[in-house]
Amino acid sequence: MSDTCIELRRLHRFFGKTKAVNDVSFSVPRGHVFGYIGPNGAGKTTSMRILATLDLPSYGDAFVDGFSVVNDPELVRRRLGFMPDSFGTYRDVNCAEYLDFFARANGLVGRQRTQRLQWVLHFTGTSGMAEKPIRGLSKGMKQRLCLGRALIHDPAVMILDEPASGLDPRARIDLRKMIRELADRGKTILISSHILTELAEMCDSVGIIEQGQLLATGSVEEIQRQRAQHRELVVRVLDRADQAAGELHSRDGVGRPLIDGQQIRFEFEGDAESQADLVAWLVGRGYRVSEVVSHKKSLEDVFLQVTEGLVQ
């Protein structure tokens, strides 16, 4: 088996003059979680629909577990589970019947279907409500059920479009744990979300897309290093804050300091060793440094820096 489980090769999708996906290429290794982020209308859902064989590219191709979505859509569907941002449920069936329907639709029979149904109910935490009608489920439990539907045929690849949308904090934590566990079991997961703090914790790598173009890709740490080389420092000195700020401003790599009482806040370009040298220099100049706080730029900061909020 190839180490690459999801691959987009110069993918294009045009709707008239609108370039929903414009020359997008990236790959996701087997067993990794890839976060796909961008403003509304950036091209995320269109890319996912192409991967799920629900749409065809105008140019280029995409591959799932080595199979082309253009040339081998049936083989792709056997290896892929798709959880859309909105999904249909049937009011007059219960959870077990709903999952059993999709197990049969995916060709599972006999003991294999029964065992898979029981595993999915247990994994998604819906065993206790297997006989409960879907119309009585909360938003969080419906999300769990939809995840179970995508998992029922044991796919190698999972495509999750805004799975945490509308969930309460506890439900989001549970979903995050399930996604990490699936990756640990060897499944490759592509997930889109606007909750960037959770993606930073969950994902092995991310891609940032805007107006159909991929602007940055790589691990969160790599993109942070490439796009956000500065960090904010807050230094508290017990006296002579104005004088300390003036001397700091003369140092290379120090942005314009802002003074708030005993606190001096400024942008600093440098690594941890440079930060330690700066503090030692202040102490050597006779300033009594009582506290130093370093704020590393988050994925949200990087996202705001990379994108411009443009829509098509």
Side-chain angles (χ1 to χ4, degrees):
M1 291 189 298
S2 170
D3 289 336
T4 299
C5 211
I6 298 175
E7 185 178 7
L8 274 62
R9 295 182 188 171
R10 305 207 65 178
L11 196 68
H12 297 72
R13 182 64 172 104
F14 303 152
F15 296 97
K17 294 181 179 180
T18 300
K19 298 179 180 179
V21 180
N22 188 13
D23 200 12
V24 171
S25 298
F26 64 80
S27 61
V28 185
R30 190 175 303 277
H32 280 223
V33 180
F34 182 88
Y36 204 28
I37 60 179
N40 290 327
K44 303 184 301 298
T45 296
T46 300
S47 305
M48 291 178 161
R49 285 177 55 81
I50 291 173
L51 277 169
T53 72
L54 298 176
D55 196 4
L56 285 171
S58 302
Y59 306 101
D61 205 347
F63 296 83
V64 172
D65 206 17
F67 293 96
S68 164
V69 300
V70 176
N71 298 321
D72 305 298
E74 289 296 332
L75 294 176
V76 168
R77 289 168 195 150
R78 295 177 192 173
R79 290 160 172 79
L80 183 138
F82 180 49
M83 182 176 174
D85 58 346
S86 60
F87 54 95
T89 55
Y90 307 105
R91 292 174 53 83
D92 297 326
V93 300
N94 61 38
C95 296
E97 291 169 340
Y98 180 81
L99 292 174
D100 184 67
F101 171 82
F102 284 98
R104 293 171 184 268
N106 280 282
L108 301 183
V109 296
R111 186 175 181 180
Q112 180 191 27
R113 187 179 76 245
T114 301
Q115 290 178 339
R116 190 64 193 167
L117 179 62
Q118 292 304 315
W119 183 90
V120 166
L121 286 168
H122 173 75
F123 179 79
T124 58
T126 52
S127 296
M129 52 191 63
E131 305 302 320
K132 187 173 183 177
I134 291 177
R135 65 177 178 271
L137 298 183
S138 66
K139 170 72 172 180
M141 296 313 297
K142 285 183 178 179
Q143 291 292 85
R144 287 172 180 260
L145 185 64
C146 187
L147 179 63
R149 184 187 75 177
L151 276 171
I152 195 67
H153 58 300
D154 196 19
V157 176
M158 302 286 294
I159 306 294
L160 312 179
D161 192 1
E162 295 289 346
S165 176
L167 299 187
D168 61 55
R170 170 60 64 183
R172 291 204 306 267
I173 291 171
D174 291 342
L175 179 65
R176 187 169 70 228
K177 289 179 179 178
M178 285 190 283
I179 290 172
R180 275 310 330 173
E181 183 175 343
L182 289 171
D184 292 341
R185 291 172 177 266
K187 296 193 183 301
T188 306
I189 300 169
L190 190 150
I191 176 172
S192 75
S193 176
H194 292 301
I195 308 171
L196 303 189
T197 52
E198 293 192 351
L199 283 184
E201 297 175 7
M202 186 194 321
C203 295
D204 300 293
S205 56
V206 299
I208 301 176
I209 186 173
E210 185 175 41
Q211 284 196 313
Q213 293 186 307
L214 194 66
L215 303 181
T217 185
S219 70
V220 175
E221 292 77 14
E222 288 171 348
I223 295 178
Q224 285 173 332
R225 284 198 300 268
Q226 294 167 5
R227 302 280 179 164
Q229 299 175 351
H230 296 73
R231 65 181 66 199
E232 184 184 64
L233 286 187
V234 180
V235 177
R236 182 187 294 274
V237 294
L238 297 183
D239 49 30
R240 298 184 294 148
D242 291 346
Q243 187 176 339
E247 294 200 42
L248 278 169
H249 194 35
S250 67
R251 297 273 298 186
D252 291 338
V254 175
R256 184 177 182 84
L258 299 176
I259 303 170
D260 182 11
Q262 295 179 326
Q263 288 187 340
I264 307 169
R265 186 185 305 270
F266 55 92
E267 292 283 323
F268 178 65
E269 183 177 359
D271 55 17
E273 289 190 6
S274 299
Q275 178 180 318
D277 291 341
L278 183 67
V279 174
W281 176 81
L282 277 172
V283 174
R285 301 285 291 178
Y287 297 104
R288 294 191 295 162
V289 178
S290 62
E291 183 181 9
V292 179
V293 180
S294 174
H295 297 287
K296 186 178 180 181
K297 291 189 181 292
S298 67
L299 182 57
E300 287 183 343
D301 296 325
V302 176
F303 174 77
L304 291 174
Q305 182 181 0
V306 172
T307 62
E308 299 179 21
L310 302 175
V311 296
Q312 301 191 75

